[in-house]
Structures are given as structure tokens and as C-alpha cells.
Amino acid sequence: MKIQLDDLSHPAVKSLLLEHLKDMHANSPAESVHALDLAKLKHRDIRFYTLWQDDTLAACGAVKQVDLHSGEIKSMRASKALRGRGFGHAMLMHLESESRRLGFQRLYLETGTADYFLPAQRLYLSHGFEPCPPFGQYQADPYSLFMTKAL
């Protein structure tokens, strides 16, 4: 298993991100989808990582700087074909480690509230994330669950 900072140019990365966006729109109203597309993930305040199992893309995730002391997890996704093998856990551990290295004292995230998002919610809760009020530019939304963790 190899995790690396990624430039989002590999076709497998583009495919996984399109799968992610498609699933977000299938499980939440459009106005409640906060997933970033490929162009927005290339922003200078975002560090995007991929996790590879041999030559197969297994997961991705990003950390977006919210302010000087905090970051937000974005685009956490494990490949459908490889779910249940711990790649999401490994990516989350990496994102937390990188966030500490970047000097962040707190991490935030937004995920959905539909049943589809229950596995993601369980993963975040198992890593010490707790529900919180909306942060940054987010507004209260019944389709969004906001979470945070002190690092």
C-alpha cells in the first residue's frame, strides 16, 4: 500500500472522483452536495492524496485549509470494488497525520445524513470525530452532518 500526494492527472483518479460526485448527487439534493469537482480540488489550499494497492487506486482524500489552525477533510472515497479492506481507515489516518504535520489543531468534515452515508459516519466516529455545528461557509442543512476532531 502506498499513499502519495497527487496531481489529479491519472485517469483512475478522475474516474474515482466522478464516481464520488455521481453517488453524492444520487444520495443528497443538489443544493446539499458539497463534494468538489476535479478543478476545485486543484486549489492551492487543498492537498489531495491517493492510496494505491500495487497499481490499483484504492482510495483518495484531501485536506483543505479552513484557517490558520484547522483543516477540512474533502473527497474521502474508497473504490467500490475495494471497500471493506481498511483503505478508508488508512486514508483517514494519513489525512490526520498530514494535518498535524501542516500545523492544524482541528479537523472538520461534512458528510451526508442519508443511510448511504452511515458507513462513513461510523468510520469518522471510530476515529474520534464528533458532531458539531456548521463551520466555515456551511449553513445548517438537514442533509448534512458536520463533525470535528481536535488533533
Side-chain angles (χ1 to χ4, degrees), residues 1 3 11 14 21 31 37 46 58 71-73 83 85 92-94 96-97 106 111 119 145 147:
M1 178 173 52
I3 300 177
K14 293 176 183 178
L21 287 170
E31 64 275 8
D37 64 19
I46 297 175
E72 177 186 2
I73 292 177
R83 288 195 181 146
R85 298 184 189 183
L92 185 54
M93 296 290 293
H94 181 76
E96 287 184 26
S97 175
R106 180 163 294 281
T111 191
L145 172 63
M147 303 181 86

Side-chain angles (χ1 to χ4, degrees), residues 4-151:
Q4 63 189 33
L5 188 61
D6 200 286
D7 67 2
L8 298 118
S9 64
H10 194 285
V13 173
K14 293 176 183 178
S15 179
L16 184 59
L17 289 171
L18 286 174
E19 175 186 286
H20 179 61
L21 287 170
K22 181 180 172 186
D23 282 351
M24 298 304 98
H25 283 278
N27 289 284
S28 296
E31 64 275 8
S32 297
V33 173
H34 303 289
L36 301 177
D37 64 19
L38 194 66
K40 289 180 182 171
L41 283 168
K42 292 182 179 182
H43 192 275
R44 62 183 168 84
D45 289 341
I46 297 175
R47 296 179 62 82
F48 182 83
Y49 302 90
T50 50
L51 186 156
W52 298 83
Q53 182 67 34
D54 299 319
D55 293 330
T56 303
L57 178 61
C60 66
V63 175
K64 177 183 177 184
Q65 185 170 356
V66 174
D67 58 38
L68 288 176
H69 305 289
S70 60
E72 177 186 2
I73 292 177
K74 298 296 292 182
S75 301
M76 267 281 298
R77 179 71 173 197
S79 168
K80 283 182 185 179
L82 298 173
R83 288 195 181 146
R85 298 184 189 183
F87 295 122
H89 167 80
M91 178 56 71
L92 185 54
M93 296 290 293
H94 181 76
L95 295 176
E96 287 184 26
S97 175
E98 284 296 295
S99 295
R100 285 183 186 92
R101 189 185 66 73
L102 292 167
F104 296 151
Q105 297 169 6
R106 180 163 294 281
L107 267 177
Y108 293 96
L109 63 89
E110 180 275 337
T111 191
T113 57
D115 287 349
Y116 173 84
F117 298 99
L118 289 175
Q121 292 175 17
R122 284 191 293 270
L123 175 66
Y124 298 132
L125 288 168
S126 74
H127 280 261
F129 282 84
E130 299 175 341
C132 69
F135 59 91
Q137 301 297 319
Y138 291 105
Q139 301 294 317
D141 180 346
Y143 298 98
S144 289
L145 172 63
F146 303 99
M147 303 181 86
T148 188
K149 176 181 180 176
L151 298 177

